[in-house]
Amino acid sequence: MNHDEALKAVVAGGPASVEAGRHLATCSRCREEASALREIEAALREAAPAPAPADWQEALVLRLSARHRAGAEPGPWTILRWRPALASAALAAGLALAWMGFLPLQSRHAAVSVALGAPDPTSSPAWTAREACLLDLAHEDSTASLLQWSEASAAELGQPQTGDLGYYLAATESGGWNG
Amino acid sequence: MPEDQERWLEALKAREEDAVRQLVREFGEPLRRYCAAMVRSPADGEDLAQEALVRFVGAVDAFRGEASVKTYLFRIAHNLALNHLASSAVIHEELPGEIREGASPAASPLHAAQSREEGRMLREALARLPPQQRAVVALRTWQDLSFKEIGAVLGLAEGTAKAHYFFALRNLRRRLEPGDEP
């Protein structure tokens, strides 16, 4: 077990944590870093953002309840009234999807969100792990994002994912990537 | 999590105000914290948390219970936050009242000031992490989600979520070392 694998197991837990403990017993460098990372963890827990203003939740309940009630009883006439609108929306969505082939990835999400009106709340925008990783890479170079990109790409191509971080950690160890 | 989730969901689908109130009481603040950390703006965090709840309530009739409500809600919030980050040049904003929550009221003024300053520096360093690392840290440390749950929220393998967490902590440490430039 190399240094990073041991540290990851100590910080994040998992089946390798016993072996990691043995590594730390003999490696002062890892002991020191593990201790520093735990301090950061503890400080993070204490540095949570302040709570929202007291009236925020109550205002939110009122707003949600009002919207919830408004959409409570659609009835058959409501559905009939919306049929032309649904057909128009479907046509617009089709045109938008054809057009989006020419757009960069990040613009596509906004367009999907608008065109389809978010039928499934978790898929609006439909961020896959691969695409979220692209956003990471756009923000800052991140080795973990590269790992995730390769995993997600392998999944999309139907190749098995090993979940093995060895190559990733080895590259970090050798100074090839900066994590 | 409401104790009897099934009964609570039925009440929510029946548009009972108490069920909505319970939803907000249970998840409003955690979602707001998460969104604020992701988009680095308390005000936008409030808006995004509200939007996540609105979308959940709007689609609750279609909710099958295959994921937990908590995971489902954070997934909605995460996608909204990514969309927000992708579509706008977000400028970090920290309200003057946003102080370190854990500071002990019994601590000396000097200690309290140091704690506030440390908390501010830490949140700023967190805000400079890549979004996925920031997400994993916020879900782990402030929401106490397991790595399996974090993986479900972010669409990652459990092992990848752990790797993000480890490298996020290491990045934070480097950024907090004296002499590190933003």
Side-chain angles (χ1 to χ4, degrees), chain B residues 127-149:
Chain B
R128 297 204 305 271
L129 291 182
Q132 291 285 71
Q133 289 187 13
R134 206 183 316 150
V136 173
V137 168
L139 291 171
R140 179 72 181 166
T141 58
W142 297 337
Q143 311 300 338
D144 273 332
L145 263 60
S146 69
F147 286 108
K148 191 174 178 185
E149 288 173 313

Side-chain angles (χ1 to χ4, degrees), chain A residues 81-148:
Chain A
R81 195 168 65 238
W82 280 95
R83 277 174 70 179
L86 289 172
S88 304
L91 178 62
L95 290 171
L97 287 170
W99 167 67
M100 279 185 322
F102 299 100
L103 287 180
L105 176 70
Q106 291 176 4
S107 306
R108 272 188 244 165
H109 289 295
V112 167
S113 197
V114 170
L116 298 181
D120 171 5
T122 60
S123 63
S124 176
W127 288 93
T128 63
R130 188 166 173 268
E131 291 162 349
C133 166
L134 267 183
L135 184 63
D136 261 9
L137 291 171
H139 272 250
E140 186 177 325
D141 182 31
S142 157
T143 314
S145 298
L146 286 171
L147 166 75
Q148 187 189 330

Side-chain angles (χ1 to χ4, degrees), chain A residues 47-67:
Chain A
D55 55 354
W56 180 73
Q57 285 204 8
E58 193 50 39
L60 189 50
V61 168
L62 294 176
R63 216 168 298 144
L64 276 172
S65 296
R67 290 184 70 141

Side-chain angles (χ1 to χ4, degrees), chain A residues 4 7-8 11-14 32-33 36-37 40-41 43-53 56-58 60-61 63-65 67-69 71-72 106 109-110 113 118 120-125 127 129 132-133 135-136 139-140 142 144-145 147-148 151 165 168-169 172 178-179, chain B residues 12 15 17 20-21 24-25 28-29 32-33 40 46 49-50 53-55 57 59-60 72 75-76 79 82-83 85-86 97-102 119 122-123 128 130-133 137 140-142 144 147 155-157 159-160 162-167 169-176:
Chain A
D4 278 1
L7 280 168
K8 186 171 79 70
V11 169
E32 187 195 330
E33 183 166 3
L37 296 181
I40 299 262
E41 236 183 340
L44 272 168
R45 288 185 195 281
E46 294 218 338
W56 180 73
Q57 285 204 8
E58 193 50 39
L60 189 50
V61 168
R63 216 168 298 144
L64 276 172
S65 296
R67 290 184 70 141
H68 207 24
R69 274 196 304 274
Q106 291 176 4
H109 289 295
S113 197
D120 171 5
T122 60
S123 63
S124 176
W127 288 93
C133 166
L135 184 63
D136 261 9
H139 272 250
E140 186 177 325
S142 157
S145 298
L147 166 75
Q148 187 189 330
E151 261 191 12
L165 303 178
Y168 172 34
L169 297 171
T172 310
N178 65 7
Chain B
L12 198 60
R15 273 73 183 169
E17 187 168 324
V20 174
R21 192 173 294 281
V24 172
R25 195 171 55 227
E29 181 60 23
R32 189 200 66 84
R33 278 187 184 187
R40 297 169 284 188
E46 286 178 17
Q50 175 180 310
L53 289 167
V54 164
R55 288 191 184 203
V57 167
V60 71
Y72 194 74
R75 195 170 171 85
I76 298 172
N79 283 333
L82 288 186
N83 203 28
L85 288 172
E98 179 147 348
I99 59 168
R100 176 175 163 153
E101 205 178 46
L122 198 50
R123 283 194 298 273
R128 297 204 305 271
Q132 291 285 71
Q133 289 187 13
V137 168
R140 179 72 181 166
T141 58
W142 297 337
D144 273 332
F147 286 108
L156 305 175
T160 309
K162 287 182 178 181
H164 274 303
Y165 186 66
F166 167 57
F167 285 103
L169 291 184
R170 177 176 270 181
N171 278 342
L172 284 173
R173 185 190 178 203
R174 286 179 183 156
R175 287 166 195 272
L176 291 168

Side-chain angles (χ1 to χ4, degrees), chain B residues 68-95:
Chain B
S68 77
V69 172
K70 187 178 186 181
T71 307
Y72 194 74
L73 275 167
F74 274 103
R75 195 170 171 85
I76 298 172
H78 181 70
N79 283 333
L80 288 169
L82 288 186
N83 203 28
H84 182 86
L85 288 172
S87 63
S88 61
V90 181
I91 298 167
H92 180 57
E93 160 203 350
E94 188 156 357
L95 298 178

Side-chain angles (χ1 to χ4, degrees), chain A residues 25-44:
Chain A
T26 60
C27 178
S28 60
R29 175 189 136 185
C30 284
R31 272 201 307 278
E32 187 195 330
E33 183 166 3
S35 163
L37 296 181
R38 282 183 179 134
E39 274 181 28
I40 299 262
E41 236 183 340
L44 272 168

